């Protein structure tokens, strides 16, 4: 039997019909939220966390391991941002960073990551003598939490004492005006973190002449 070219083409066309069609490729599975953050940092430092694909209303929290979802040492909503920095606890230990959402009005943990805090340290650099009401350049480096201060006060005053100060989280170097009253003062780096509250990490004697 001789098949003409037209018959062959029609037969091949029939093979491409529904019975021989390739099955549709499955779609990619929907990916859930993800977070990236340091697993270890100095106590009181800022834990910068990158979050992707978080649901609306999600929030970040730092807690003690084993704490219930509604518990938090510090927490903040994500809002529309994908990067959020939370102050780490001012105590040395093991904690947990959590991404949470709400289901039926109750907090639900979506993701968790271990966070270990190490001993906080700070350094100060300034000249030891300055004239009354004169400018005093200072450098202060420590955990650089958002509430930490470098402050000039009288010796013996409590950690929360007020005086000429600046925030190292904004700039580790600044210039303070020396007090108008001569005498011996104390330059301090004061960490102010969750759990620890104000705590003096470094001191330097400054004489105002």
């Amino acid at each position: 039997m001789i098949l003409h070219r037209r018959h062959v083409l029609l037969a091949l066309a029939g093979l491409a019909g529904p019975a021989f069609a390739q099955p549709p490729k499955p779609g990619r599975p929907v990916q859930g939220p993800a977070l990236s953050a340091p697993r270890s940092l100095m106590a009181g430092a800022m834990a910068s966390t990158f979050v992707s694909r978080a649901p609306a209303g999600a929030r970040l929290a730092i807690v003690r391991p084993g704490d219930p979802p509604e518990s938090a040492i510090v927490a903040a909503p994500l809002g529309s941002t994908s990067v959020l920095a939370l102050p780490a606890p001012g105590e040395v230990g093991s904690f947990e960073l959590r991404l949470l959402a709400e289901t039926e009005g109750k907090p639900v943990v979506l993701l968790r990551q271990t966070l270990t805090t190490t001993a906080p340290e700070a350094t100060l650099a300034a000249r030891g003598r300055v004239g009354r009401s004169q400018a005093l350049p200072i450098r202060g480096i420590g955990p650089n939490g958002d509430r930490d201060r470098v402050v000039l006060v009288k010796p013996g005053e409590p950690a929360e004492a007020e005086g000429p100060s600046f925030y190292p989280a904004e700039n580790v170097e600044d210039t303070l005006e020396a007090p108008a009253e001569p005498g011996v003062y104390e330059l301090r780096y004061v960490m102010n973190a969750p759990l620890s509250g104000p705590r003096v990490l470094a001191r330097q004697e400054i004489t105002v002449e």
Side-chain angles (χ1 to χ4, degrees):
M1 179 180 176
I2 299 174
L3 294 177
H4 294 287
R5 183 171 180 273
R6 178 171 176 272
H7 294 155
V8 174
L9 292 174
L10 289 174
L12 291 174
L15 292 176
F20 295 91
Q22 294 292 324
K25 293 182 179 180
R28 291 183 177 179
V30 177
Q31 293 182 318
L35 66 82
S36 176
R39 294 184 178 274
S40 177
L41 77 169
M42 188 185 295
M46 302 301 292
S48 294
T49 306
F50 297 83
V51 182
S52 58
R53 300 182 299 275
R59 64 190 178 98
L60 280 175
I62 296 176
V63 304
R64 297 184 188 276
D67 279 356
E70 62 272 14
S71 177
I73 296 169
V74 58
L78 270 175
S80 59
T81 185
S82 61
V83 182
L84 187 64
L86 292 179
E91 295 181 357
V92 175
S94 294
F95 301 91
E96 196 171 80
L97 179 67
R98 292 178 180 175
L99 177 67
L100 301 107
E102 282 202 1
T103 300
E104 298 180 353
K106 295 182 179 180
V108 176
V109 179
L110 302 179
L111 293 171
R112 64 184 79 213
Q113 178 181 305
T114 299
L115 178 65
T116 301
T117 54
T118 59
E121 298 177 348
T123 59
L124 294 166
R127 64 180 188 266
R129 309 183 81 86
V130 64
R132 291 176 294 173
S133 302
Q134 296 299 303
L136 178 63
I138 299 167
R139 170 180 287 190
I141 300 175
N144 294 357
D146 58 355
R147 298 170 62 191
D148 292 4
R149 293 183 305 141
V150 174
V151 60
L152 188 62
V153 296
K154 284 283 192 179
E157 292 191 345
E160 60 271 17
E162 297 291 336
S165 63
F166 68 89
Y167 294 92
E170 299 174 358
N171 195 338
V172 298
E173 294 182 344
D174 208 336
T175 299
L176 299 181
E177 181 178 325
E181 181 183 347
V184 175
Y185 291 80
E186 191 172 77
L187 184 65
R188 296 174 175 175
Y189 186 107
V190 182
M191 176 183 72
N192 191 355
L195 296 184
S196 69
R199 176 183 165 191
V200 180
L201 297 184
R203 309 168 191 264
Q204 180 182 331
E205 183 178 292
I206 302 291
T207 300
V208 177
E209 302 174 319

